[in-house]
Amino acid sequence: MVDVTRTFTVATPPRDVQEYLADFANAREWDPGTVLCAPLGTGPVGVGSRWRNVSKIAGAETELTYELTRLEPGRVVFVGRNDTATSTDDISLAPADGPGTTITYHATIEFQGAAKLAAPLAKVVFEKVGSDTEKSLTRILGATV
């Protein structure tokens, strides 16, 4: 299993951050590995909404179906699945000491079958992805002073 956590502060208020992050289609803008992220279905975003996500990480392309499994004030959780992995993105939001939002982004990836052998290398790769994601979200949602 790979486990990566980042905590950082952005200038945007929590409610706006949550609205932005809850629509996983926006991952194209902030997730450095995402090549495509398209909604599966129509209607407003809410628990049960799903997206087809294609990512390219360390030269390998993979596709997962993500589902919004939890959406409540201060919390957004997505679970992505395919035949070889389950990825959980658990995002907590809190008002910052000054203006803005403190984001704690916790990602876990559980590999199945032979893919488990890749976990040690994947940890190194996903630590870099975590840092790049933090940089992207800070750029998009505004750096704090």
Side-chain angles (χ1 to χ4, degrees):
M1 181 167 74
V2 175
D3 193 337
V4 176
T5 301
R6 295 289 183 278
T7 299
F8 53 97
T9 301
V10 297
T12 303
R15 184 173 161 169
D16 296 339
V17 172
Q18 183 156 344
E19 184 177 311
Y20 177 76
L21 292 176
D23 185 351
F24 203 61
N26 291 325
R28 293 178 309 230
E29 299 173 4
W30 57 261
D31 180 5
T34 294
V35 176
L36 169 79
C37 195
L40 298 172
T42 58
V45 170
V47 171
S49 294
R50 298 174 350 125
W51 294 262
R52 175 178 172 248
N53 180 277
V54 178
S55 295
K56 189 170 188 177
I57 298 171
E61 192 168 279
T62 188
E63 182 175 328
L64 289 97
T65 299
Y66 276 87
E67 181 176 344
L68 179 58
T69 60
R70 189 169 176 181
L71 180 61
E72 58 192 46
R75 191 90 178 269
V76 180
V77 179
F78 296 98
V79 177
R81 292 185 172 90
N82 66 15
D83 291 341
T84 59
T86 299
S87 176
T88 302
D89 294 13
D90 187 341
I91 308 164
S92 297
L93 309 168
D97 287 339
T101 306
T102 298
I103 299 172
T104 299
Y105 198 112
H106 182 202
T108 57
I109 301 101
E110 273 193 72
F111 296 99
Q112 283 92 38
K116 287 182 181 180
L117 299 173
L121 176 58
K123 172 71 172 165
V124 173
V125 170
F126 281 101
E127 284 291 342
K128 171 146 182 17
V129 170
S131 296
D132 291 346
T133 298
E134 177 181 345
K135 288 176 190 170
S136 294
L137 283 170
T138 302
R139 178 181 44 79
I140 291 165
L141 298 171
T144 57
V145 180

